[in-house]
Amino acid sequence: GAHQDHWSHAVWAWHFARGTKRLDRVAPALCHWIGKTVGTLEDRTVLEFGSGHVLSEALVLWLAGAREVVACDYNRLFRPTFARRAFLAADRARLREALLGVAPAALVDERLARLAALPRWTLPALENLGLAYRAPLSFAGAPPFRGAFDLIHSTA
């Protein structure tokens, strides 16, 4: 199927990281949604369902103050190199402005600095920040998580 591991997923990740999934392009609408639905993510755990190639939504949820974000997908699509590109290519001022609508400046600045200082974007490094990735993951049987999240988000 379309979501089986394939070399073309690196090409898609490259494309998304430079375009629609650049963090400054994802953040305004996602932060608007956060503000309208829950107000703040501080001290909350969030499941990002269908996280895709570059985890843009999961990264924005974490930057917006979530204590922990678990990004999951049916197949393993995530490409850390291009997630880093989606962050580094972002207009930092625009990204920060969107985040300030739902999180205090000190928290936003601290998290932006932590991401910028991350020498290698590996799964353990991201998990150490509070952003875990779980794939492949199926919800067809018993739910793999039960009552573990304050909020579930999905763009897919």
Side-chain angles (χ1 to χ4, degrees), residues 1-112:
H3 281 86
Q4 296 297 325
D5 194 24
H6 190 266
W7 65 265
S8 64
H9 288 294
V11 175
W12 279 110
W14 174 83
H15 172 76
F16 290 137
R18 295 168 37 101
T20 58
K21 294 299 183 175
R22 220 173 68 186
L23 266 59
D24 61 325
R25 293 181 177 158
V26 169
L30 186 51
C31 290
H32 177 76
W33 176 82
I34 293 165
K36 287 188 70 118
T37 57
V38 295
T40 183
L41 294 181
E42 284 187 88
D43 203 38
R44 295 189 181 196
T45 57
V46 182
L47 176 67
E48 171 55 28
F49 188 82
S51 54
H53 294 84
V54 293
L55 274 61
S56 299
E57 287 82 0
L59 285 161
V60 169
L61 292 165
W62 180 80
L63 285 167
R67 177 170 32 91
E68 178 184 15
V69 177
V70 176
C72 69
D73 221 318
Y74 185 72
N75 288 297
R76 194 175 189 89
L77 301 175
F78 178 48
R79 300 298 192 267
T81 298
F82 296 108
R84 181 177 184 267
R85 181 181 302 260
F87 171 69
L88 293 177
D91 177 326
R92 196 71 52 94
R94 183 174 180 216
L95 175 59
R96 184 178 185 272
E97 180 182 343
L99 293 164
L100 290 178
V102 294
L107 184 143
V108 168
D109 292 339
E110 183 264 336
R111 291 200 172 184
L112 285 169

